[in-house]
Amino acid sequence: MRIYGVTGWKNAGKTGLMERLVAEITGRGFTVSTVKHAHHSFDVDHRGRDSYRHREAGAQEVLLASKYRVAHMQELRGAPEPPLADLLGRLSPVDLVLIEGYKRERHPKVEAFRAEPGNPLIAAQDETIRAVASDTPLELDRPVFDLNDTRAIADFILGEVGL
């Protein structure tokens, strides 16, 4: 499975870049799935719905299906967070999986970087970051793209993974 990451600090533009990359790459005829890491609790379900009630009653996993989509919710209930490799193994085959976050994982990544928050550049200490997408000019030993040049960033990623 071909994978490529988009990483960066909070408010660096990761999600917007991911959204644009998915649209650009699928627009070229490739299939794409995504994995997003969250550092906080989240819920894709709603209080009072049947599936929510199943989980609240103690179900370990709930599979919700319709003719439009399938959602698989798994309650960890104190178990450790699954490793990225395990999560990738759950995905159906696609041309490319884009991964948002997972800074410490060893897959190739593009760093989204905005000058405004004042965070340090991760790429300076991380060789898995193959390029930076920035809103400000940077002098680096790897490619630097304009954060909004989605086409060029997509070209770079697709070239890196051989698509």
Side-chain angles (χ1 to χ4, degrees):
M1 183 178 303
R2 293 174 172 105
I3 65 171
Y4 217 91
V6 173
T7 196
W9 299 109
K10 183 178 180 181
N11 297 320
K14 296 181 302 294
T15 301
L17 179 56
M18 285 280 292
E19 182 180 11
R20 294 189 313 273
L21 285 171
V22 170
E24 175 71 26
I25 294 169
T26 59
R28 297 182 188 193
F30 296 107
T31 56
V32 176
S33 289
T34 65
V35 175
K36 159 113 177 81
H37 189 257
H39 291 283
H40 50 79
S41 178
F42 65 90
D43 205 334
V44 295
D45 212 356
H46 302 285
R47 184 177 298 282
R49 304 304 272 179
D50 294 350
S51 52
Y52 184 95
R53 292 170 59 193
H54 295 184
R55 287 188 307 120
E56 287 298 301
Q60 189 72 24
E61 295 183 273
V62 176
L63 191 63
L64 180 62
S66 75
K67 66 180 183 177
Y68 301 106
R69 68 190 51 91
V70 174
H72 180 194
M73 293 170 279
Q74 179 182 22
E75 290 296 317
L76 295 179
R77 304 203 189 280
E81 180 179 341
L84 177 59
D86 291 357
L87 298 174
L88 292 170
R90 297 179 187 184
L91 296 176
S92 299
V94 292
D95 295 317
L96 177 64
V97 177
L98 290 173
I99 302 167
E100 182 177 342
Y102 288 96
K103 283 184 208 67
R104 291 169 187 84
E105 293 287 333
R106 305 306 300 162
H107 59 275
K109 304 170 196 74
V110 169
E111 179 178 355
F113 180 81
R114 284 193 174 130
E116 167 61 31
N119 292 313
L121 195 62
I122 300 167
Q125 289 82 35
D126 186 344
E127 72 281 351
T128 67
I129 295 175
R130 304 279 175 80
V132 175
S134 177
D135 67 350
T136 189
L138 299 170
E139 291 292 326
L140 288 174
D141 60 350
R142 62 203 88 180
V144 177
F145 298 97
D146 182 294
L147 184 57
N148 295 311
D149 192 350
T150 308
R151 176 180 279 289
I153 299 166
D155 288 344
F156 178 79
I157 291 170
L158 292 173
E160 285 267 292
V161 299
L163 289 175

